[in-house]
Amino acid sequence: MSGESGQPQPGPSHAGLYLEHPERDQAGVPGGVIRRADSQRRRSWIQKVIEQITGSPRQCVTLSEVVPVTVLAVQRYLLEDEPRDTVPKPPLYCYDVTISDGVYQEKCYLDPSLNFLVYQNILKVGIEMRISRVSCLYNEKRLGQGILCIDKVHCGESLDVISVETPFRNRAHEEKPERPLRGGKSHYLALWNNEDPYGDIWKTNKQPEEFNFNNIKIISLSHLELTWNSRKNFPALLVRILHKSKLRYYGKPNKKMIEPYQTYLEVADSSGMVSVILWNALCPEWYKSLRVGLVLLLQDYTVKKSYPLRIQPDPADPQMKLISTMEICLNLRDPPTNIVIIPEKQLKSEWKLPKLINRFITRSELDDMPEKSICDVIGLLSFVGRVQRSKKKENSEDFWSYRWIHITDGTSEQPFIVQLFSTSQPEVFENIYPMTYFVCTQLKVVRNNSQVPKLLYLTTTNESRVLTTGGHRGLPYTYDTKAKKIIQWIKTKTNLEAKNTVIGGYYPYPPVPETFSKYSRFIKAESLLTTISEVKKVIEDLQYREQKRIAIQGIITAIKYIPYKHSAGSAPAPEAFWNASRPSTSQAAGKEDHCHERGSKRSQDDRPMGSQHFQYTPKVLSLCAKRKILQGPSANPVPVPQPHSSAQMKGSKHNTPSQESSTAYTTGKSRRITNDRWESQLWRDKKFSLRDHLHYGHVDPESIPRKFILEHEKFLTQQFNSQPAKYIPPEGKPPKLDEFQSARSLGHFEVTILGLNHEIAIDVAFLPMYSPEDVQASQIDTFLTCMNFSCVYPPAAPLSGRLPDPKAVAGDIVKAAADLDRVHIIGILDICNLGNNKVEVCLQKIYTPEW
């Protein structure tokens, strides 16, 4: 079994620096990928570096020759706490980086002081990198083995053409399963979370097998519950898996466990349901092979008193007994558990094993479901958001990965809104896209009827499982009455409806409450308000795809509308090289090539920034009010046009397009306002005497929700997933994200907020919802109905179903902002680190003094 024999010793291992690898013949392949055939004609730069550092262990060597190399893999693992580490408080995790010089590949250790390059997704696969300082680290308990350490590096741009399948210079790096360079831990972790199984230690080869039940004594769960305290040996259990939890990784630097994993199965026979725990190395051996519904024969297990703080999921069958006084423990040893998957055809009716029961609900039934209810849903994916991350605990290195999705089932104009956390099924989580069948089990209802609008969505639980197109055949729920009706409805969906599906982009959910007092109930007092000067630090502390919501005080002093400009075939602006001393956020970003080295502190300006060189493009941020806002006091609901949102601004005007035809007007306060911008007198007086002006008003292409195109599902899916740990060669020449049409047609606004002391200002993006297409209950409209903003909208739905011109809508929003001249406001900002030195700071809501 993986990890149970040949345990690696602490310290550098597996990486002999002097082990030569024979050259291989390589041939060209299509798709923008190069397999070099001339590797024998030129000498490897990696080999030269190895020769240069041979006599300088633990010393940094500045290389005499620096050439670009390609990053092929960035892999994470638990850092063993070694006394010879020079970092006073080493991080919990460290990284191995696989590079290629076109002749050889080499797996290198990244010095922990450079870990933040991975945290910010600056050092990632597919980029060009220049290494200018390295060191060699030996393991003195092994003969002739050491590793190449990266101590100073320049991170460049992503490459269109990558050299792949060059051989490893060191044969040890090709051994299976893959092992980390340092420490006593036996395996790599997923790059961005600990819940997903990653690497080749995770087996998938367990299959049902015929079993001879002669001379096998089987005990029921209820009988075992009564007698386990007095038994030394336990008879076999014959049970069905009803629930399977996601993985829990509990590794710590000071623990010597090889594969510290744990997962729970809820299993049942005719007498009740009990928890079964798979421990440690048994998880890589069995986790991916065990699925809900399988029948298991368990032998040589142990029994212990159940953990008091764990809450078991309730059985779907209310008549089933829940056994909560004991737990069944399965281990690879002490004693070695014997697990057999029994084929369904071998089951006997007299065993009375329970059948799987699903708790499917339709979207029309969700409105009446109480909070914290558990349910299953089935339907069609109509929106798939990008992967985001949130810290498990403050100051923790561990994150949850999640994404927002919409599921429609034809029973309501509203979709299921689901916060889908990783369920330890990366093969599903990373490959979902619109217009696919989707089943998710064990979802919990989250609702708040006292909030405006009423908060209602579903979130995954520890036992949630996900299935998509291709994974449903033969499963019992396909015979469920509700599921059959929804499946038949899905088959009637047309290509026209498929065009209204959306993928990616920023999705600001859950909505902010309508009053600041309600918002503050869920925020710690010490972090309730953030000063504008502290926004820099908040941004610097965010890691890749991490999102944080903060509240600032200030005065809106200017607003500018930037229209959406789509140009098919246009390429996005190239990304800047990583800089060690980039300009501050109040300066335009340059393309100087600076470096980072071991032990150097990150400078104050080394943070993701809202640089001005990015092309302005729209994205979804602020979403609109509920449909009832478009209904008269005594009128029937009108057909659903697209309302358009602005932040909750006092005194906003709702004018028809004809009222907006003029290019400018003058108010009683002598403020000149055009349809696309406004600037207050206060701003004109103060903008040149500020202590600092933070520029975060840009919108990144990744933040824009895109109309989904099935022919490009692989490309679009990859764009909105997390960065992979290993380079994935593209199929042919990949398109540019900017070439895909936005699902929104209204541009965005750059809003300037001046601090209350008139010393510092910040530009933020504001993104109202607006689309003139498909005014009926489309995917676009479901975005609109889930947020609470005072919208700029037509006083009545036009008979034609057409919406006002975007310029007229923009003019209304600009004037609504102008009405807040000199008013002290609280702005709710959503901040997200997009990686690679990009960040978005978006205005989601404004509270005026009535808060």
Side-chain angles (χ1 to χ4, degrees):
M1 168 58 201
S2 165
E4 292 302 313
S5 61
Q7 176 178 343
Q9 301 180 25
S13 58
H14 318 294
L17 280 176
Y18 312 106
L19 199 58
E20 294 291 339
H21 196 292
E23 297 286 358
R24 302 177 183 174
D25 292 328
Q26 300 159 67
V29 295
V33 178
I34 294 178
R35 294 190 174 103
R36 298 189 180 275
D38 62 343
S39 59
Q40 298 183 19
R41 302 191 189 101
R42 61 188 183 92
R43 194 177 178 205
S44 166
W45 175 82
I46 292 174
Q47 187 65 46
K48 293 178 186 178
V49 171
I50 297 299
E51 294 170 0
Q52 188 174 346
I53 67 169
T54 298
S56 305
R58 295 297 298 178
Q59 294 182 9
C60 290
V61 175
T62 299
L63 301 177
S64 56
E65 180 187 8
V66 178
V67 302
V69 295
T70 303
V71 179
L72 298 181
V74 179
Q75 294 170 289
R76 182 178 69 107
Y77 55 101
L78 190 68
L79 179 65
E80 188 71 22
D81 196 4
E82 301 174 26
R84 57 179 170 274
D85 279 336
T86 59
V87 181
K89 290 185 179 180
L92 190 59
Y93 303 105
C94 55
Y95 298 89
D96 291 342
V97 180
T98 302
I99 61 172
S100 171
D101 63 4
V103 180
Y104 284 133
Q105 292 183 39
E106 185 77 11
K107 188 180 289 186
C108 310
Y109 173 72
L110 183 70
D111 187 89
S113 64
L114 300 179
N115 279 6
F116 75 92
L117 295 174
V118 180
Y119 300 160
Q120 304 293 334
N121 198 37
I122 295 166
L123 200 170
K124 58 183 179 179
V125 298
I127 66 167
E128 181 180 81
M129 185 170 72
R130 287 177 169 82
I131 303 169
S132 55
R133 186 177 297 169
V134 297
S135 58
C136 170
L137 183 61
Y138 287 96
N139 182 355
E140 296 179 353
K141 291 187 177 182
R142 295 175 180 268
L143 291 175
Q145 290 200 352
I147 58 177
L148 180 64
C149 305
I150 299 174
D151 297 322
K152 188 175 182 180
V153 66
H154 302 246
C155 292
E157 300 178 35
S158 296
L159 299 173
D160 293 328
V161 179
I162 300 292
S163 175
V164 298
E165 294 192 359
T166 51
F168 276 99
R169 186 196 57 83
N170 184 345
R171 287 193 188 96
H173 295 168
E174 294 183 320
E175 292 177 357
K176 302 295 182 182
E178 281 189 290
R179 301 300 187 191
L181 291 177
R182 293 189 67 182
K185 304 307 174 188
S186 68
H187 68 290
Y188 288 110
L189 300 168
L191 185 56
W192 304 112
N193 66 51
N194 288 342
E195 283 68 49
D196 289 341
Y198 171 82
D200 46 18
I201 68 168
W202 297 88
K203 310 300 181 184
T204 58
N205 58 351
K206 306 297 184 182
Q207 300 295 330
E209 55 186 80
E210 293 280 348
F211 187 82
N212 185 357
F213 282 90
N214 294 335
N215 303 319
I216 292 293
K217 184 178 179 181
I218 295 176
I219 189 173
S220 70
L221 292 175
S222 59
H223 189 197
L224 182 64
E225 181 187 24
L226 297 174
T227 61
W228 72 271
N229 268 318
S230 59
R231 288 178 176 270
K232 291 185 178 179
N233 299 307
F234 303 110
L237 295 172
L238 186 66
V239 292
R240 188 185 296 278
I241 302 174
L242 301 186
H243 299 295
K244 173 184 172 183
S245 77
K246 60 186 173 186
L247 286 167
R248 174 177 172 259
Y249 178 77
Y250 62 95
K252 302 292 181 184
N254 56 350
K255 292 186 177 181
K256 302 296 182 181
M257 294 184 179
I258 300 302
E259 285 144 358
Y261 286 97
Q262 176 198 73
T263 191
Y264 278 86
L265 304 175
E266 304 302 323
V267 303
D269 62 12
S270 60
S271 66
M273 184 179 83
V274 74
S275 295
V276 171
I277 315 174
L278 270 70
W279 287 99
N280 302 330
L282 206 61
C283 289
E285 187 77 13
W286 279 94
Y287 183 82
K288 297 187 77 170
S289 298
L290 297 177
R291 70 173 189 272
V292 172
L294 288 180
V295 174
L296 304 180
L297 181 72
L298 304 178
Q299 298 173 281
D300 302 319
Y301 53 88
T302 58
V303 183
K304 69 179 184 69
K305 188 177 180 180
S306 60
Y307 183 62
L309 298 181
R310 179 177 180 266
I311 301 176
Q312 284 180 269
D314 293 325
D317 182 358
Q319 303 302 318
M320 182 176 289
K321 179 184 178 182
L322 181 64
I323 300 173
S324 57
T325 58
M326 67 174 186
E327 293 176 338
I328 311 298
C329 298
L330 308 182
N331 285 280
L332 195 65
R333 53 191 179 195
D334 300 327
T337 298
N338 185 5
I339 304 174
V340 180
I341 303 175
I342 304 299
E344 198 73 24
K345 63 183 179 181
Q346 198 178 357
L347 301 184
K348 297 179 180 179
S349 58
E350 56 264 30
W351 292 345
K352 298 181 180 179
L353 289 177
K355 295 182 179 181
L356 280 183
I357 299 176
N358 285 99
R359 291 178 276 202
F360 284 115
I361 66 166
T362 64
R363 179 58 184 85
S364 60
E365 295 172 329
L366 177 62
D367 293 330
D368 299 322
M369 295 284 289
E371 187 179 9
K372 297 184 179 180
S373 299
I374 299 297
C375 61
D376 306 330
V377 301
I378 182 172
L380 194 67
L381 283 172
S382 54
F383 164 71
V384 176
R386 73 185 180 198
V387 176
Q388 298 180 179
R389 302 165 71 218
S390 61
K391 274 194 174 78
K392 293 184 177 180
K393 295 179 181 179
E394 196 68 28
N395 302 319
S396 170
E397 290 188 47
D398 294 328
F399 286 79
W400 302 111
S401 293
Y402 68 95
R403 66 198 320 166
W404 290 95
I405 61 174
H406 285 186
I407 306 171
T408 58
D409 67 0
T411 67
S412 170
E413 292 181 341
Q414 303 298 317
F416 292 106
I417 299 175
V418 180
Q419 187 179 24
L420 181 68
F421 285 88
S422 171
T423 58
S424 300
Q425 297 172 276
E427 68 282 358
V428 178
F429 186 80
E430 297 172 1
N431 292 283
I432 59 175
Y433 52 87
M435 293 305 294
T436 55
Y437 291 74
F438 196 81
V439 172
C440 194
T441 64
Q442 290 295 110
L443 291 168
K444 182 173 66 176
V445 177
V446 180
R447 71 183 313 140
N448 183 351
N449 293 336
S450 65
Q451 180 176 319
V452 178
K454 292 181 181 179
L455 181 67
L456 179 60
Y457 68 95
L458 302 172
T459 186
T460 48
T461 62
N462 196 49
E463 292 78 26
S464 291
R465 309 307 295 166
V466 174
L467 291 167
T468 59
T469 299
H472 308 287
R473 183 168 297 178
L475 295 179
Y477 65 77
T478 56
Y479 304 102
D480 181 273
T481 302
K482 289 181 182 177
K484 288 171 68 175
K485 288 182 178 179
I486 294 171
I487 291 171
Q488 289 300 316
W489 170 81
I490 291 174
K491 292 178 180 179
T492 66
K493 302 303 285 181
T494 65
N495 291 333
L496 179 62
E497 290 164 315
K499 292 180 180 179
N500 295 321
T501 57
V502 179
I503 187 169
Y506 177 64
Y507 184 60
Y509 204 84
V512 178
E514 73 278 14
T515 65
F516 186 68
S517 60
K518 289 185 178 180
Y519 171 84
S520 60
R521 291 176 191 171
F522 306 100
I523 309 295
K524 294 180 181 178
E526 62 271 18
S527 56
L528 180 58
L529 289 170
T530 303
T531 66
I532 295 180
S533 60
E534 291 172 337
V535 173
K536 283 183 178 181
K537 184 65 167 62
V538 172
I539 291 172
E540 182 181 356
D541 291 343
L542 290 180
Q543 295 195 25
Y544 173 58
R545 289 281 180 85
E546 183 183 1
Q547 182 179 317
K548 189 168 186 177
R549 182 170 287 174
I550 64 172
I552 64 170
Q553 294 188 84
I555 304 166
I556 293 179
T557 54
I559 184 170
K560 178 172 63 176
Y561 173 60
I562 295 102
Y564 169 60
K565 294 181 180 179
H566 172 70
S567 54
S570 63
E575 297 174 0
F577 274 55
W578 174 251
N579 296 319
S581 56
R582 297 193 305 277
S584 72
T585 54
S586 58
Q587 301 171 353
K591 292 199 64 175
E592 301 173 57
D593 188 10
H594 294 271
C595 65
H596 280 276
E597 56 186 292
R598 182 177 73 178
S600 63
K601 291 186 177 180
R602 193 177 179 188
S603 69
Q604 289 298 309
D605 292 323
D606 293 341
R607 59 178 65 88
M609 58 180 290
S611 58
Q612 298 175 355
H613 73 282
F614 288 101
Q615 180 183 358
Y616 285 114
T617 45
K619 69 171 182 178
V620 58
L621 177 72
S622 301
L623 307 180
C624 255
K626 304 179 78 172
R627 293 180 184 173
K628 65 181 182 182
I629 201 167
L630 296 178
Q631 302 171 15
S634 60
N636 293 325
V638 296
V640 185
Q642 307 285 336
H644 335 293
S645 79
S646 70
Q648 191 165 357
M649 298 176 176
K650 186 177 77 172
S652 62
K653 294 178 172 59
H654 310 301
N655 299 317
T656 61
S658 61
Q659 293 172 300
E660 299 300 321
S661 58
S662 61
T663 59
Y665 74 94
T666 304
T667 70
K669 298 181 181 180
S670 298
R671 294 167 294 153
R672 184 169 180 80
I673 305 174
T674 65
N675 269 5
D676 63 353
R677 66 187 61 211
W678 164 75
E679 185 178 281
S680 72
Q681 184 61 48
L682 176 62
W683 181 242
R684 288 194 288 270
D685 294 341
K686 298 292 184 180
K687 63 181 176 181
F688 296 114
S689 59
L690 297 174
R691 179 164 52 87
D692 200 0
H693 186 182
L694 309 179
H695 295 278
Y696 294 108
H698 78 278
V699 174
D700 191 80
E702 182 191 301
S703 302
I704 305 170
R706 306 286 174 172
K707 290 190 174 182
F708 180 70
I709 301 175
L710 185 60
E711 298 89 287
H712 295 285
E713 55 91 2
K714 285 189 177 180
F715 171 80
L716 289 170
T717 300
Q718 290 174 359
Q719 290 297 304
F720 296 109
N721 277 333
S722 299
Q723 186 72 30
K726 289 188 174 182
Y727 176 72
I728 303 172
E731 298 179 357
K733 184 179 179 181
K736 301 291 185 181
L737 189 56
D738 272 354
E739 298 172 9
F740 292 87
Q741 186 176 354
S742 169
R744 307 292 174 260
S745 56
L746 189 65
H748 74 278
F749 295 81
E750 183 180 283
V751 180
T752 300
I753 301 176
L754 180 66
L756 297 182
N757 293 319
H758 300 180
E759 293 179 336
I760 188 169
I762 183 171
D763 295 338
V764 299
F766 172 66
L767 298 103
M769 290 285 298
Y770 177 84
S771 177
E773 302 174 17
D774 191 21
V775 298
Q776 299 302 318
S778 67
Q779 171 61 47
I780 309 302
D781 181 64
T782 58
F783 273 85
L784 304 178
T785 58
C786 64
M787 302 297 282
N788 175 38
F789 291 91
S790 295
C791 297
V792 180
Y793 58 88
L799 294 177
S800 63
R802 300 173 66 182
L803 294 178
D805 182 79
K807 291 183 179 179
V809 177
D812 283 341
I813 294 174
V814 169
K815 285 183 288 185
D819 285 334
L820 290 174
D821 190 11
R822 295 186 179 269
V823 175
H824 288 197
I825 58 96
I826 295 177
I828 306 300
L829 304 182
D830 278 344
I831 303 177
C832 186
N833 185 328
L834 301 180
N836 199 27
N837 196 26
K838 295 180 291 184
V839 67
E840 56 189 21
V841 181
C842 301
L843 179 64
Q844 201 202 359
K845 192 171 185 71
I846 289 174
Y847 295 109
T848 54
E850 288 79 7
W851 61 67

